[in-house]
Amino acid sequence: MQTDTYHHGDLKESLIKMGLKLFNEEGAEKFSLRKVAALCNVSHAAPYKHFKNKEELINAISEYVFSNFESSLNEVATKYKNNPAQRIIELGKKYVWFMVENPDYLKFAFLTKSESEIGITENKLKNEDYPTFNIFENCALDFFKSIHVKEEDYEQDIIAMWSMVHGLATMLSYKTFSYEGDYLELVEKILRKNLNF
């Protein structure tokens, strides 16, 4: 019989991390607290000390993933707040780096079906559920204002920029193409060329 060998705090984090891997491999339908417990080498009852059901663990995984992603982007947004052009480049690089170095986060956050969405209504972006996108959007707006982009072009330019960064992150994470050098240098060159500075 398995025994619980984790300290109280360690087990909760381990359940979240192993739960993330299991969710990405099997999806919500086959996901269970029992399976996560087995991956953590603890008794099947142990997860219930932290989560009452699988939905609660999945919500904790989501919060964990997006909180770490948000903190990573905020770090750059704050550091370069007085230089809109450099900030949008560094933010794009950080976005790509985070997803390449954490492919499980990428799959969970963007490659599984989500009930949340970012939409455009009457030429305005509508977004309430993605704080990470809000960071990207606000930095992009500051950049556009600094180079005098027409306001009516903001939304389509933000989507285009996000698509470029997200596409690079996805292709590099899943090795759609290989690059022998520093991939962040490549990302910076692409961003600078496409943002025309």
Side-chain angles (χ1 to χ4, degrees), residues 19-110:
L20 172 61
K21 290 184 178 298
L22 180 66
F23 187 93
N24 282 341
E25 289 171 4
E26 299 198 352
E29 294 290 323
K30 297 180 180 179
F31 185 89
S32 72
L33 289 178
R34 184 180 288 268
K35 288 181 180 179
V36 178
L39 290 172
C40 291
N41 197 33
V42 296
S43 71
H44 63 81
Y48 290 95
K49 296 175 183 176
H50 301 283
F51 307 104
K52 63 182 180 183
N53 52 43
K54 76 173 190 177
E55 286 75 20
E56 196 169 277
L57 175 53
I58 291 170
N59 287 338
I61 293 168
S62 180
E63 184 177 345
Y64 178 82
V65 166
F66 282 102
S67 176
N68 284 329
F69 187 29
E70 184 178 356
S71 295
S72 183
L73 295 184
N74 260 329
E75 182 184 336
V76 171
T78 301
K79 183 177 180 180
Y80 296 95
K81 64 181 179 180
N82 295 322
N83 188 336
Q86 189 64 30
R87 182 166 66 162
I88 201 65
I89 292 293
E90 296 299 332
L91 192 69
K93 288 166 60 180
K94 191 69 163 183
Y95 188 114
V96 173
W97 173 86
F98 188 90
M99 292 304 175
V100 170
E101 300 302 320
N102 301 284
D104 282 343
Y105 287 43
L106 172 65
K107 186 172 183 179
F108 180 89
F110 296 109

Side-chain angles (χ1 to χ4, degrees), residues 12 14 28-29 32 36 48 50 54 56 62 67 85 95-97 114 133 142 149 153 160 172 177-178 185-186 195:
K12 184 174 183 179
S14 294
E29 294 290 323
S32 72
V36 178
Y48 290 95
H50 301 283
K54 76 173 190 177
E56 196 169 277
S62 180
S67 176
Y95 188 114
V96 173
W97 173 86
S114 173
F133 181 78
D142 283 348
V149 170
D153 293 334
L172 285 165
F177 69 90
S178 60
E185 289 183 2
L186 174 65
L195 294 176

